[in-house]
DNA sequence: TTACGTGCAAAGTCTTTGCAACCAT
DNA sequence: ATGGTTGCAAAGACTTTGCACGTAA
């Protein structure tokens, strides 16, 4: 892995300040840190995987390409196919989650974040979030009327954000 | 258009029985039929466009490829790029609408259908629908709390359908 | 040491575009 | 007739895969 321009230790040095990733050290799946989660399932902990996880944590709602760009700022040799493979792995492990927004490119975010709903503005593309509680009335209706169990984490609502709404009426 | 195996008249003959498309004859945009809608905006009425519209009406929630397969059963010479171009046109005219379901492939349906929400089962892929009224509580909350104007027609909810839910607990 | 993970390049899938021929009006 | 439409083929965007080398454990 000659191309990696980061320290060759088990874990890459963190930038100063507390990152979202560090906040994960206590782990999402109960209380395992992300690297223990990998190792305990027989996967290896690599700088690439850490960098991808950090990028997901830092960018929030980023596409694979955006994540690649972010990772490559630190380690420019990381290949895009590694990004895809890593995202798939982290997703299957429940460390990250993804949703399909507008275009078709999925966006990834940390699974530790509270389940939330994405509000995508179809005019400016801005992404807002709503809490799980706010959509409780919806999930209840769907349960009662259709016996449907909503996956809140995957819920995306399209429409017009506050700003674009005002401009529109103007 | 040698490849078209359908009558070369302005409109392709309808199969016996009342189709969803025929029900559109009175038109969605007030009271124009779909072909008047096209002509009045300077677009031409072609057999391809009719076939695509019929396929969308018949399949409901079909991907471009599925629509192409359906169209090609009748007229095997219709090219996939024509399908894409036609869907884009019909979409921009408000004759059809699309939503992004699971994978990323958009699915199309007639815009005449009452605005509805798609309930996608992440286990079996089944697509159910909920009415606009059922999601009113959600849109109200998003409006009140975020000033967000929900586009109900584009709303898709992922989760587990009634059947898969039962099987899961078993 | 062992076999998992990565970089690289090539192939795949889905969609778009340029262009000449064609046809709806 | 005449300009919007289509089929075809090639190009694009995004993602996946095969393989040999490198590396975490």
């Amino acid at each position: 892995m000659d191309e990696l321009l980061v320290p060759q230790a088990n874990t890459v040095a963190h930038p100063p300040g507390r990152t979202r990733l560090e906040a994960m050290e206590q782990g999402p799946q109960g209380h395992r840190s992300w690297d223990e989660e990998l190792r305990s399932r027989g996967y290896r902990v690599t700088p690439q995987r850490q960098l991808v996880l950090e990028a997901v944590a830092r960018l929030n709602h980023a596409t694979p390409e955006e994540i690649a760009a972010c990772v490559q700022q630190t380690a420019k040799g990381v290949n895009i196919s590694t990004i895809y493979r890593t995202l798939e792995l982290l997703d299957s492990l429940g460390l990250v989650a993804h949703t399909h927004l507008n275009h078709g490119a999925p966006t990834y975010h940390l699974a530790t974040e509270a389940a939330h709903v994405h509000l995508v503005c179809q005019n400016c593309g801005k992404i807002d979030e709503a809490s799980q509680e706010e959509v409780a009335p919806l999930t209840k209706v769907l349960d009662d009327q259709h016996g449907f169990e909503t996956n809140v984490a995957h819920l995306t609502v399209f429409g017009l954000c506050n700003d674009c709404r005002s401009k529109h009426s103007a």
Side-chain angles (χ1 to χ4, degrees), chain A:
Chain A
M1 204 196 308
D2 299 1
E3 328 289 5
L4 265 178
L5 302 178
V6 292
Q8 290 297 317
N10 255 0
T11 53
V12 176
H14 286 165
R18 188 155 192 80
T19 66
R20 296 176 84 157
L21 187 52
E22 283 177 301
M24 263 183 92
E25 292 300 327
Q26 277 317 316
Q29 276 66 22
H31 20 289
R32 268 209 271 258
S33 63
W34 67 273
D35 50 323
E36 286 171 341
E37 187 61 33
L38 280 178
R39 269 189 277 260
S40 71
R41 300 224 210 171
Y43 297 104
R44 295 181 180 170
V45 175
T46 69
Q48 287 91 337
R49 285 173 180 169
Q50 175 174 3
L51 288 168
V52 168
L53 201 44
E54 283 178 350
V56 170
R58 223 180 54 169
L59 298 174
N60 205 25
H61 300 135
T63 62
E65 276 197 64
E66 290 166 340
I67 292 164
C70 180
V71 166
Q72 288 162 357
Q73 283 184 334
T74 303
K76 65 170 185 286
V78 178
N79 194 276
I80 184 78
S81 64
T82 298
I83 305 289
Y84 280 108
R85 283 189 284 228
T86 301
L87 286 172
E88 185 186 7
L89 175 67
L90 298 178
D91 204 334
S92 74
L93 291 181
L95 291 170
V96 306
H98 74 273
T99 44
H100 292 277
L101 304 184
N102 257 331
H103 21 60
T107 62
Y108 289 79
H109 59 89
L110 284 190
T112 39
E113 293 174 30
H116 58 272
V117 177
H118 299 101
L119 308 181
V120 180
C121 179
Q122 295 183 300
N123 186 239
C124 69
K126 193 178 70 181
I127 301 176
D128 196 0
E129 295 177 8
S131 69
Q132 184 150 20
E133 294 80 52
E134 293 180 83
V135 298
L138 172 71
T139 58
K140 181 169 184 343
V141 167
L142 297 183
D143 190 345
D144 293 349
Q145 308 278 320
H146 299 263
F148 190 86
E149 184 180 314
T150 301
N151 179 346
V152 178
H154 267 260
L155 186 52
T156 301
V157 182
F158 296 97
L160 275 184
C161 73
N162 212 343
D163 294 348
C164 292
R165 219 172 156 180
S166 323
K167 290 177 198 158
H168 247 243
S169 53

